Amino acid sequence: MNDIAAMFQLAGAAIGAVGAILLFIEFFQVPSYVSYDTEFESYNLQISPADAQEYTWFGRLGALALALAFTLQTVAVFLG
């Protein structure tokens, strides 16, 4: 039974690391509607409400991977 718990724990750690990297990518993206004007050294926002997207697939998959990782870690605790 300890082998199965260790397997769940290692799988949860690996999936959690991938999920954290995906969320890191999500948080540090510059949206397509933000542009930087070097002449005035300022940012410009050109957006319409229909074009706005709150999250990308990086963030969605990262959040799901982290949820799965926490689930695997919890199962490993109960099995071990």
Side-chain angles (χ1 to χ4, degrees), residues 22-43:
L22 288 173
L23 280 179
F24 180 82
I25 292 170
E26 171 73 25
F27 289 146
F28 290 101
Q29 290 186 75
V30 177
S32 61
Y33 52 84
V34 176
S35 62
Y36 182 71
D37 188 6
T38 56
E39 184 177 334
F40 297 111
E41 294 183 359
S42 66
Y43 288 93

Side-chain angles (χ1 to χ4, degrees), residues 1-4 7-8 10 16-18 24 32 46 49 56 61 65 67 74:
M1 195 60 100
N2 286 335
D3 292 338
I4 295 173
M7 182 184 66
F8 278 131
L10 289 173
V18 171
F24 180 82
S32 61
Q46 294 177 352
T56 63
L61 291 176
T74 304

Side-chain angles (χ1 to χ4, degrees), residues 53-70:
Q53 289 185 350
E54 191 170 344
Y55 302 106
T56 63
W57 282 104
F58 288 116
R60 292 177 182 137
L61 291 176
L64 287 174
L66 283 177
L68 178 61
F70 280 117

